[in-house]
Amino acid sequence: MSDRRFAVIGHPIGHTMSPFIHKRLFELAGLKGDYSVLDIAPEELPAKMELLNALDGYNITIPNKQRIIPFLDALDRRAELYGSVNTVKNGEIRTGYTTDPAGFLKALSSAGIPLSGDVVIAGCGGAARIFAFEAALAGCRLTIAARPESAEKQQALALELRQKLGAEKVSCCLLSEVEGEHDLFVNGTPLGMFPNTEGMAISARALSGFANVFDAVYNPLETVLIKTARANGSRVCGGMPMLVWQAVAAHEIWDGTVYSVGDIEQLTEDSAEEMKRKF
C-alpha cells in the first residue's frame, strides 16, 4: 500500500494545513499514503482529470467544490443535498462526498455544544450553507443573518431549506438586527480571518445573548469573536477542530479507519501549533 497517492486541490492553495493533518492521520492508522498539494484552477480541471483519476483519493477546496461534480460518477447523499464535494474516493466508481457537515457536528460535540434550540447563523455562502442545513436537519429554530447586499442569496438559502427539507422554522434578518437571547451563534463568514483579524460578524452587545458560539475561522486560532464570547461566559469552539474532524471523515471514507477521540484532540492541538509555526 506504500504507493497509494492522495492530494488536495484548490486555487490558490499555498496556505493549506491539509498535508500536515492527513499525513498524521495516515500515521495514526498505521497506513502509508503520499499526500501532495495540487494548485488547479477551475478552467484547468478538464485537462487535469486524468491526473486526479490516477490518485486513490483527493480532497477539494475553493473554488472547485461544485465544479468537480460533472467529472464524478456518483455522489453520496450529503454531497448531493449540498451540491458540493470536498472528498473523492477513486475506484471503479469515482464517488464524491462532503465531509464538512461531519466536521462541523464533531467539532460542536467535542466542545460540548448542542446543535439545538434557537440558532443564528451569520452568512449565506458555502460554509454558512452547510451550517444552516445541519441546523435545519437537527430541528433548530434557525435565523440566517447577513449583510444587506446578500439579501437575495440569503432569501434563496431560506427557500432552499424549506423546499428540500421542509424546514418551517427558518427566518432571515440583517447582521445588525441580531439581538436577544439565543442558544447558539455560528459564524459562517470570513470576518475575523487573518490578516483582517479585528472584524466580528455581530456586535459585542449582540454576542452577549448567546450561550454557545462557534466560529468557522481557524486562522487566527482565537478570533476576536471567540475571545469576546469566552469573556461573556459563553461556551466556545473555533474552526480548527472542524478542519481536523472533516479530514478524519475523509479517512473513514478512504480506508474505513476509526480514530480515538484522544488522538484527534491531540492532532487538533498539534495542528494549531503547526499553523502558528508555519503561517
Side-chain angles (χ1 to χ4, degrees), residues 76-153:
D76 86 323
R77 188 175 70 87
R78 277 294 202 271
E80 187 171 7
L81 178 65
Y82 290 118
S84 176
V85 167
N86 78 339
T87 299
V88 171
K89 181 175 183 178
N90 282 330
E92 291 184 10
I93 297 176
R94 295 165 295 189
T95 306
Y97 303 81
T98 178
T99 66
D100 287 329
F104 174 54
L105 297 176
K106 282 282 195 178
L108 289 181
S109 177
S110 67
I113 296 176
L115 184 59
S116 61
D118 193 345
V119 177
V120 177
I121 294 175
C124 48
R129 189 168 180 274
I130 287 168
F131 305 147
F133 265 81
E134 292 304 316
L137 285 167
C140 301
R141 294 183 303 278
L142 174 62
T143 302
I144 304 168
R147 290 174 169 174
E149 58 267 29
S150 299
E152 185 176 343
K153 192 174 182 181

Side-chain angles (χ1 to χ4, degrees), residues 243-259:
L243 183 69
V244 174
W245 278 111
Q246 63 83 25
V248 169
H251 284 253
E252 291 173 350
I253 290 165
W254 291 333
D255 293 315
T257 315
V258 177
Y259 298 90

Side-chain angles (χ1 to χ4, degrees), residues 12 21 26 38 43 56 67 72 75 77 100 129 157 160 170 172-173 178 201 204 219 229:
I21 294 170
F26 281 126
L38 301 175
E43 62 273 15
D56 292 273
R67 293 178 174 94
L72 303 176
L75 301 178
R77 188 175 70 87
D100 287 329
R129 189 168 180 274
L157 175 56
E160 188 178 8
V170 181
C172 297
C173 75
V178 175
N219 186 10

Side-chain angles (χ1 to χ4, degrees), residues 3-278:
D3 59 346
R4 296 194 314 156
R5 295 184 298 140
F6 300 84
V8 58
I9 71 168
H11 179 76
I13 198 169
H15 293 165
T16 177
M17 286 294 298
S18 290
F20 178 85
I21 294 170
H22 286 281
K23 287 175 182 178
R24 281 286 300 276
L25 288 170
F26 281 126
E27 290 171 4
L28 284 169
L31 299 172
K32 292 186 177 180
D34 179 68
Y35 194 95
S36 58
V37 176
L38 301 175
D39 191 318
I40 299 177
E43 62 273 15
E44 297 177 307
L45 267 179
K48 296 292 185 179
M49 287 312 302
E50 183 176 355
L51 169 65
L52 294 177
N53 291 338
L55 300 173
D56 292 273
Y58 55 97
N59 300 117
I60 305 108
T61 188
I62 295 171
N64 293 319
K65 288 186 175 185
Q66 290 79 38
R67 293 178 174 94
I68 194 68
I69 292 174
F71 302 99
L72 303 176
D73 300 316
L75 301 178
D76 86 323
R77 188 175 70 87
R78 277 294 202 271
E80 187 171 7
L81 178 65
Y82 290 118
S84 176
V85 167
N86 78 339
T87 299
V88 171
K89 181 175 183 178
N90 282 330
E92 291 184 10
I93 297 176
R94 295 165 295 189
T95 306
Y97 303 81
T98 178
T99 66
D100 287 329
F104 174 54
L105 297 176
K106 282 282 195 178
L108 289 181
S109 177
S110 67
I113 296 176
L115 184 59
S116 61
D118 193 345
V119 177
V120 177
I121 294 175
C124 48
R129 189 168 180 274
I130 287 168
F131 305 147
F133 265 81
E134 292 304 316
L137 285 167
C140 301
R141 294 183 303 278
L142 174 62
T143 302
I144 304 168
R147 290 174 169 174
E149 58 267 29
S150 299
E152 185 176 343
K153 192 174 182 181
Q154 177 190 36
Q155 293 293 337
L157 175 56
L159 179 61
E160 188 178 8
L161 290 169
R162 296 185 187 107
Q163 290 178 336
K164 286 188 173 182
L165 304 181
E168 298 179 355
K169 297 177 287 186
V170 181
S171 61
C172 297
C173 75
L174 296 175
L175 287 167
S176 59
E177 294 174 339
V178 175
E179 60 182 7
E181 301 294 316
H182 307 272
D183 294 294
L184 173 62
F185 178 76
V186 178
N187 179 38
T189 79
L191 290 169
M193 183 184 295
F194 180 84
N196 302 311
T197 59
E198 297 306 310
M200 284 206 308
I202 58 174
S203 69
R205 179 190 60 79
L207 192 63
S208 66
F210 289 87
N212 303 283
V213 173
F214 174 82
D215 193 346
V217 173
Y218 62 86
N219 186 10
L221 294 167
E222 285 223 336
T223 59
V224 173
L225 182 77
I226 291 294
K227 290 177 181 177
T228 304
R230 180 180 283 114
N232 290 339
S234 303
R235 187 181 287 112
V236 301
C237 181
M240 184 59 77
M242 177 178 168
L243 183 69
V244 174
W245 278 111
Q246 63 83 25
V248 169
H251 284 253
E252 291 173 350
I253 290 165
W254 291 333
D255 293 315
T257 315
V258 177
Y259 298 90
S260 74
V261 173
D263 280 344
I264 301 310
E265 288 177 346
Q266 184 61 57
L267 176 54
T268 301
E269 292 181 16
D270 293 345
S271 298
E273 289 302 316
E274 175 68 8
M275 190 186 72
K276 287 192 291 186
R277 183 191 70 79
K278 191 172 182 179

